[in-house]
Amino acid sequence: MSDQPRPRASLRTAVVWEVLKEALDRQAASAGRDALDVLDTGGGTGNFAVPVARLGHRVTVVDPSPNALFALERRAAEAGVADRVRGVQGDILGLFDVVERDGFDAVLCHGVLEYVDDPAEGVRNAVAALRPSGALSLLAAGLGGAVLARALAGHFTEARQALTDPAGRWGEGDPVPRRFTADQLSELVSGTGLDVGAVHGVRVFADLVPGVLVDTEPGAVDALLKLEAAAAELPAFHSVATQLHVLGEKRA
């Protein structure tokens, strides 16, 4: 996997990265070009942008944090892809103040919808930035994963609160403003006219397994990665995943 030096980091990104890389490969083959134009909204310090650039694509990162964009610039330079990564300060609700419509072959919207006032508008903007036949990679916090995590920690009242709250929050101290089910995310994507190509559960087990087991047991990381990959596409596990990933494809 590209740019994934830490085993624990790979557990958090492996499923999404494999789906995204396959989608970009298909886009490049369809377009007859080696290099695509990719937009990463809320891309922060480049967890995905830099690996995508290392594949040879041109990446524009839109993020509201100047500090994150500074770190992105440094990280891209260290990876030798500074000429293929551009950082722009902005956010998804004001997206077209800083980038053009219909200008990208793929748009990443990872960890953004949880924090915007209008998730539907955010998805519409992401889709409007796509060229015909473009692909949308959408990653957001899953409701079921939060419920399960609170229950396993013994916070049963908070688990029930998250389960019944319209935004999926477990209380005032919850740092995540909003969570989604797989159906809700799929409806946001299909509501824009995109075809929902695939839905994956992300971090189904990784956040529940004790870190000391993963770090010390021989072969544990590789075995857990394989387990995550095997469970990711199964709908039964979407309801307990920490995050949910939806791939949407724009009709030509």
Side-chain angles (χ1 to χ4, degrees), residues 102-241:
D102 307 313
F104 299 90
D105 301 293
V107 174
L108 281 57
C109 184
H110 295 173
V112 173
L113 296 187
E114 300 95 319
Y115 301 97
V116 299
D117 293 333
D118 189 341
E121 182 182 354
V123 175
R124 287 194 297 269
N125 283 353
V127 173
L130 285 172
R131 291 169 179 157
S133 301
L136 171 67
S137 176
L138 184 63
L139 181 68
L143 170 63
V147 174
L148 184 61
R150 300 316 290 174
L152 291 178
H155 303 300
F156 306 121
T157 300
E158 291 179 351
R160 184 174 179 275
Q161 171 68 18
L163 188 61
T164 58
D165 183 72
R169 303 187 75 233
W170 48 256
E172 291 298 321
D174 192 338
V176 180
R178 186 182 292 104
R179 294 183 177 87
F180 301 87
T181 65
D183 286 344
Q184 287 171 335
L185 282 182
S186 296
E187 288 170 7
L188 284 173
V189 172
S190 62
T192 66
L194 262 64
D195 294 324
V196 176
V199 180
H200 291 85
V202 180
R203 289 156 56 189
V204 175
F205 308 103
D207 291 350
L208 303 176
V209 176
V212 64
L213 173 63
V214 177
D215 294 335
T216 60
E217 187 72 19
V221 171
D222 184 59
L224 185 51
L225 281 169
K226 291 177 179 177
L227 177 60
E228 289 279 354
E233 290 190 58
L234 301 178
F237 290 98
H238 295 169
S239 59
V240 295

Side-chain angles (χ1 to χ4, degrees), residues 47-110:
N47 287 338
F48 281 91
V50 169
V52 168
R54 292 180 67 179
L55 295 176
H57 305 303
R58 297 176 292 270
V59 187
T60 298
V61 176
V62 175
D63 196 279
S65 169
N67 290 337
L69 293 174
F70 178 78
L72 166 71
E73 183 179 357
R74 184 176 64 243
R75 185 174 187 177
E78 291 172 352
V81 295
D83 60 327
R84 294 197 293 273
V85 177
R86 178 174 72 104
V88 181
Q89 190 173 0
D91 61 59
I92 197 166
L93 297 186
L95 189 60
F96 301 113
D97 294 334
V98 295
V99 300
E100 62 181 304
R101 294 177 182 269
D102 307 313
F104 299 90
D105 301 293
V107 174
L108 281 57
C109 184
H110 295 173

Side-chain angles (χ1 to χ4, degrees), residues 9-54:
S10 68
L11 287 170
R12 293 175 175 271
T13 60
V15 169
V16 178
W17 175 247
E18 291 304 319
V19 175
L20 177 61
K21 185 178 181 301
E22 289 177 7
L24 293 174
D25 289 345
R26 288 197 304 271
Q27 289 290 316
S30 176
R33 291 182 280 119
D34 291 331
L36 300 175
D37 294 305
V38 179
L39 174 64
D40 189 354
T41 64
T45 61
N47 287 338
F48 281 91
V50 169
V52 168
R54 292 180 67 179

